[in-house]
Amino acid sequence: MSVPIQNKRPGKQPRTFHIIANWKSNPASLKDLDRLQKAYMGLRVPDGVRLVVCPSPIHQLIEAGKSIYIGAQDVQVAAIGTGSWSAEMLQSCGVSYCIVGHSERRSLGEQDIDVKKKTIQLIEAGIVPIVCIGESFRDDNGKYINIIKHQLQVVSKGMSLAQAGRMIIAYEPVWAIGRGARACTAVECYEVVQVIREEMSRLIPGLSVTDVVVLYGGSVDSMNAVEYLESGLVNGLLIGRASLDFQQIKSILQKVESLQK
Ligand code: PGA
């Protein structure tokens, strides 16, 4: 499937929402994988929603259907082969999107400069990079904003307007990810999302704030999903745990659909 990534001005209809299901290293058994794949293939994806599933590469890739795009969870940074895969391989397997810079990869030593190299490789292979950024904690002096800006500066350095326009940014505050984490509020999300739009537009001449596609990720579920889209003014969601629960993802899609009306 070719990769559409046109952006719509936040707040103006119709909005296009990206809903990214990050299955991480789940499910553990092939039986559960089969169940989950079948459930996803039976989903009705509303108009204006791009549902992207990012399964583990060791699993048979879910079959890209008319309405489901396939994403990868990472790509290799250089021509070092063991245990990784190239952007070209992903592209030839029908992968349309790829997460890079996830905090779980950064915690293993991935640096901003690696994230940048991966991003460029993906863009060159025609795959949309979903670049994760986010602070580890929030201090009272607003230093977390500088961390966000620095991550954007490294990844976008030397990028052309066309390249920047192919990239999606996922704001994922590290403190809001995973079991037991406190979800970021829509107000906290909104503040950083505005910074991301303004900083990207400052860094890339010609890129307007409304052209910057920003997602939110971190403890998203069917109860809070709509708040991020409505009050956080993001263009979509990056969902971990809740994407493994079919009822949750179904409910999220239904709620997103009602926003389109
Ligand atoms: P979570 O994970 O939704 O389970 O918090 C989000 C992510 O890691 O991308």
Side-chain angles (χ1 to χ4, degrees):
M1 235 183 317
S2 70
V3 187
I5 188 183
Q6 97 275 14
N7 315 318
K8 293 288 179 217
R9 190 165 299 194
K12 289 203 172 175
Q13 295 296 332
R15 291 171 69 188
T16 299
F17 293 114
H18 286 82
I19 303 294
I20 319 289
N22 181 8
W23 288 0
K24 305 192 179 185
S25 47
N26 297 294
S29 76
L30 285 177
K31 199 164 144 223
D32 286 345
L33 175 67
D34 186 51
R35 206 176 293 146
L36 196 62
Q37 290 204 107
K38 286 196 176 119
Y40 264 73
M41 295 310 287
L43 275 173
R44 195 180 62 75
V45 181
D47 287 348
V49 173
R50 304 228 169 95
L51 178 62
V52 181
V53 179
C54 305
S56 157
I58 205 160
H59 286 148
Q60 182 81 33
L61 286 184
I62 192 169
E63 194 190 323
K66 263 204 213 76
S67 53
I68 299 188
Y69 295 86
I70 299 302
Q73 299 177 11
D74 198 15
V75 65
Q76 70 187 24
V77 70
I80 298 168
T82 308
S84 64
W85 43 89
S86 69
E88 290 70 27
M89 285 165 69
L90 293 176
Q91 198 268 341
S92 74
C93 290
V95 166
S96 309
Y97 293 80
C98 181
I99 298 169
V100 287
H102 192 282
S103 59
E104 288 160 5
R105 306 300 313 169
R106 290 180 189 262
S107 71
L108 299 175
E110 184 166 87
Q111 304 293 315
D112 286 328
I113 191 68
D114 302 322
V115 177
K116 189 229 171 56
K117 286 181 192 160
K118 291 179 178 189
T119 302
I120 296 290
Q121 282 172 22
L122 290 166
I123 292 172
E124 281 171 1
I127 295 172
V128 176
I130 301 169
V131 181
C132 299
I133 60 167
E135 76 282 3
S136 302
F137 62 93
R138 285 209 172 184
D139 59 296
D140 294 335
N141 307 320
K143 286 204 179 110
Y144 60 95
I145 295 289
N146 294 338
I147 290 167
I148 299 293
K149 287 185 178 171
H150 178 75
Q151 289 173 330
L152 292 175
Q153 284 157 13
V154 176
V155 83
S156 64
K157 189 157 187 244
M159 242 185 210
S160 68
L161 176 59
Q163 287 174 323
R166 300 294 299 168
M167 177 169 81
I168 290 179
I169 312 277
Y171 171 51
E172 292 221 310
V174 182
W175 49 267
I177 295 175
R179 210 170 294 283
R182 167 177 89 75
C184 183
T185 67
V187 173
E188 289 169 323
C189 167
Y190 177 81
E191 181 206 17
V192 177
V193 166
Q194 296 319 300
V195 169
I196 292 171
R197 292 190 199 287
E198 280 160 21
E199 184 64 6
M200 281 304 294
S201 143
R202 189 185 73 78
L203 291 166
I204 308 287
L207 188 69
S208 110
V209 286
T210 54
D211 287 338
V212 184
V213 179
V214 190
L215 315 182
Y216 169 74
S219 298
V220 174
D221 59 26
S222 60
M223 299 304 285
N224 62 20
V226 165
E227 285 169 41
Y228 299 115
L229 300 171
E230 280 210 307
S231 315
L233 280 191
V234 288
N235 305 93
L237 303 163
L238 177 48
I239 309 171
R241 283 157 298 155
S243 74
L244 296 164
D245 179 338
F246 174 66
Q247 291 307 333
Q248 287 267 343
I249 203 82
K250 191 170 163 193
S251 162
I252 290 170
L253 290 177
Q254 282 166 352
K255 288 181 178 176
V256 172
E257 182 172 29
S258 66
L259 277 183
Q260 305 278 35
K261 290 182 178 148

